[in-house]
Amino acid sequence: MEKYLDLKNSTDYSKLKVAGDIIRSGGLVLFPTETVYGLGANGLDKNAVKKIYIAKGRKQDNPLILHISNFSMLHKIAKNISKIEEALMKTFWPGPFTIILNRTDIVPDIVTGGLDTVGIRMPSGKIAKELINYANIPVAAPSANISGRPSGTNISDIFDELSDKVDYIIDGGECEVGVESTVVRVVDGIPNILRPGKISPEEIEKVVGSVKIDEHILKNIESNEKVLSPGMKYRHYAPKSNCVLVYSENNEKMIKEIQELAKKYVNPLIISCNENAEYYDVEHKILYGSKDNLNEIAQNIFKDLRKVDEFEPDIVIIEGVKEDGIGLAIMNRLIRACEYHYIKL
Ligand code: AMP
Ligand code: MG
């Protein structure tokens, strides 16, 4: 059987039936969502879900998100939903928003890493939605990448690391958002952002009047610290090369710091916004987009992080961005890519 489906320039979603059947019967499917590509399996079948952990090399205590396509699926897997949780889902679904809810007994332990809660998302990407409809069960789908690597936002970036580990591949071109969903857990009536994404703290606050940003979003976790989301503990998004993040609200100051830092190395690579590139006199540069368009930077960031190792740089210096809106999500990913090596001026 041909295991590759090209939907980059086609809207013939009826072809997704094959992939839906593969998921239902316990196989693994690589598929696009509006955030990043997912590595999907039947979320109610523990043996299928186990294959995801093995394919990614993911730690067993790092739970998966279940993807649904309608509210009747929600009530099979979650219970005791509060008014605030309901309001958040109604506002942000379908879309790049994940909510942590109390789970029901049909959700296998392996999905939640043994927790009594489960992460749930209703994606808006058309391919994801149709695929889940055909599978007609909640689809467990972490980001499509080997654990620790940048998430996949197009098929060619992840083909080598995942193609021989999956039963089917759906190519939907580049993902629209480019960073993973916002993850929220409501604690004592207040939405806590455990992972920032396209849905910003400001938007969440508008719905329920309050929001809390978990302190670990931009900060390292001590080895014995208790966290609300196991994923926060792990090394993430990192190229093999040594990376450092530099940011100042004062653009000139940031440029100067990066110029000085670059001089200390033999083969530095600089990742910057388009506007600042002309100030850096180095052989290797990657431009992640305009500093006035954080959506564009979010869309490019994982793809750019995947490019750096081929230049064999002795340092990768990355310009930070303003933590506004999706900027907070970009900084959260970059800080981890740099393993908390962050110069804030
Ligand atoms: P990924 O699958 O790569 O998009 O990562 C999913 C993220 O959601 C990880 O950071 C997980 O730790 C987090 N997550 C999933 N389920 C839960 C849960 N029940 N409680 C807290 N965090 C969760
Ligand atoms: Mg991931």
Side-chain angles (χ1 to χ4, degrees), residues 58 62-65 100 115 117-119 142-143 195 228-231:
R58 185 172 172 117
N62 191 5
L64 305 178
I65 294 168
I100 311 292
L115 298 174
T117 55
V118 59
S143 55
R195 177 176 72 184
L228 272 179
S229 177

Side-chain angles (χ1 to χ4, degrees), residues 126-141:
K126 289 216 172 64
I127 295 175
K129 228 156 109 178
E130 285 302 317
L131 174 65
I132 302 164
N133 272 338
Y134 276 117
N136 202 21
I137 33 101
V139 174

Side-chain angles (χ1 to χ4, degrees), residues 159-294:
F159 194 85
D160 288 348
E161 67 190 61
L162 289 173
S163 64
D164 60 350
K165 299 181 173 168
V166 301
D167 301 291
Y168 202 72
I169 297 170
I170 303 163
D171 191 344
E174 289 285 344
C175 296
E176 189 189 317
V177 177
V179 291
E180 307 89 336
S181 57
T182 306
V183 176
V184 165
R185 176 161 180 195
V186 178
V187 182
D188 299 331
I190 299 172
N192 282 233
I193 299 186
L194 307 184
R195 177 176 72 184
K198 167 94 177 155
I199 304 297
S200 65
E202 297 83 357
E203 286 172 273
I204 292 168
E205 193 171 20
K206 258 189 221 156
V207 180
V208 288
S210 60
V211 68
K212 207 172 134 196
I213 300 174
D214 193 283
E215 57 171 348
H216 298 104
I217 278 180
L218 298 174
K219 173 173 153 277
N220 203 350
I221 317 280
E222 303 298 328
S223 60
N224 54 0
E225 234 178 320
K226 207 172 174 307
V227 288
L228 272 179
S229 177
M232 289 173 169
K233 293 183 299 196
Y234 295 115
R235 185 174 179 275
H236 239 310
Y237 319 119
K240 293 187 186 77
S241 313
N242 197 15
C243 300
V244 56
L245 178 64
V246 179
Y247 182 66
S248 170
E249 280 191 11
N250 179 332
N251 194 45
E252 274 171 42
K253 210 164 153 185
M254 177 169 73
I255 292 171
K256 200 147 191 290
E257 176 75 19
I258 292 176
Q259 287 168 332
E260 292 302 317
L261 193 58
K263 279 187 204 151
K264 296 184 184 153
Y265 293 86
V266 180
N267 187 29
L269 181 151
I270 296 177
I271 304 183
S272 76
C273 64
N274 303 347
E275 293 88 347
N276 289 350
E278 62 175 305
Y279 302 109
Y280 302 128
D281 182 21
V282 295
E283 193 181 337
H284 303 303
K285 297 182 209 179
I286 295 174
L287 311 187
Y288 56 35
S290 166
K291 67 176 173 192
D292 297 326
N293 187 350
L294 293 179

